[in-house]
Amino acid sequence: MGADHQIAFFLRESAAPEPERRVAALTGLGRRGGAEHVPVLTGAAADPEPRVRAAAARALGRLGIAEAGREVLPPLMGDADPRVRSRACVAATRLGLDGPPVVEALARRLSDPDRHVRIVALEGLAALGVPGDARALAALLGDPDSAVWGRARTLLYVCRGDEDVRAEVIRTAREGAGAARARALEELPRQCIEPLLDALLDGLRHPFPQVRVQAARRLSDVERPQAKEALTAALRTERDPEVAAVLLRDLGDRTDGGLTDTAVGWLRDPVAGPPAARMLGAVGTDEAATRLRTALADRTVPARTRAACATAIGAGGRWDAVWLLLPLLDDADDDLRAGVLDGLEHVVENGLRWWERHVVARVLTSHLETDTRHVWRTRNALRGLTQALPAVRRLADTTDSGDVRAAALSLLDGDEAADEHVRQDVRRFLRSLDDPYEPVRYEAVLGLRRRVDADGSWPPGAEHARDRLTALTGDPSHRLREAATGLLTALGTGPSGPE
């Protein structure tokens, strides 16, 4: 059937008695028709059957003639049938319609009972870059559907320079309901926090937990003693774990021993337990340290909380920290081992006692080879521990694990260029430029770069590596290409770069 015959068929069918035939005809005209068929589509917008009106709106959008929909589509956005309202909003957006009638029609749909209509209305307003109705838009922050409130939040941000929008966000943050108030508090500009201090303090007592969460987060930026006092009082009476976790995190570094018992009370909670442990670590008193040791040894305490206790014990650096943590490296729980390694990293960084160094070095290098889940955490704990270097060099030469080889190479950072071990490290780096595992090649290049930066010249024995490094500038790995290029650039400007 030719195009003209198709059009003629659609025109006849558009007057058929069966609604489904009229729908099919209008769909066809939207795809194949032209400006001369606009009257048929606009006429169908008044069809008594909702399916037909929806098809007419969709066809007008597909036809692509803006003026054809300017008069018809805004009234259809207020149609009794949600399918018609939705199709009309989409068609108006597709045609790029603007002006007060369109904006007002879209704005009214922000409070539509149908979620899909609310979504397409938000997309239409976003396409125009206008809020429509600031109050209705801010109210959508409390919509139960994330597809709705997420779009509303984005549009509020886009329109943040609009005075009505700004005022409505502030009003919602001050007195909005439930989720809307919580999300308005989250979006509140920093410069509005101080003027809304009373509302934030009131938010700590709000019955909706998320409002209390956001009020606590925003108050954490306020340096006034009044804010800290309010957060402290709120923590003492809080019963919701998520809110308590936020309060514990916010107060963790700003508290004294007065909240020790409160923090201990949350240690068994899987949500609030870890920040409670971190707070006890920050308190640093003998009592807090005792509570951390007790929780660490208690296997009925959630593993993530015990992990946070281990990290806090390591950061505290008390005399027994090493001996409390080392035995737990064999624990079956991944989270606990991660916390133990983080704690040992703190211990090593803060300085081990001479009788601890060889023991920690031996245990950690053995762990580096066996704990495949936490290779790089173990590597971080080993950083700066010179007693571990002999075993680290052995691993770099003998292990079958690419991750362990890479981690071992990253720890080779001797200071004396004339040292025989350092010269051997340079040879390790050069051999590793051909390693099949990308992280190993990357760490080898970084190792050579450390030597160049330390000595100001090409490392002895590495003069013939330029071709290999040049080849690595074409490696599929972006970071490896950049590292190789940076090393060659540094060598090109060095006083003793290779010819």
Side-chain angles (χ1 to χ4, degrees), residues 6 8 12 43 69 93 102 112 128 131-132 134 137 187 212 268 270 299 368-369 376 387 405 408 411 495:
Q6 278 188 322
R12 289 194 304 273
T93 303
V102 174
D112 198 281
L128 296 173
L137 180 59
E187 298 300 312
R212 302 201 298 276
R268 291 188 177 278
R299 290 186 173 274
L368 179 65
E369 190 172 19
W376 290 96
Q387 289 79 7
R405 287 199 304 279
L411 291 166

Side-chain angles (χ1 to χ4, degrees), residues 127-139:
L128 296 173
V130 297
D133 182 335
R135 176 159 291 200
L137 180 59

Side-chain angles (χ1 to χ4, degrees), residues 324-336:
L324 287 170
L325 298 179
L326 286 181
L328 295 175
L329 286 175
D330 294 326
D331 197 277
D333 189 274
D334 287 335
D335 290 328
L336 179 57

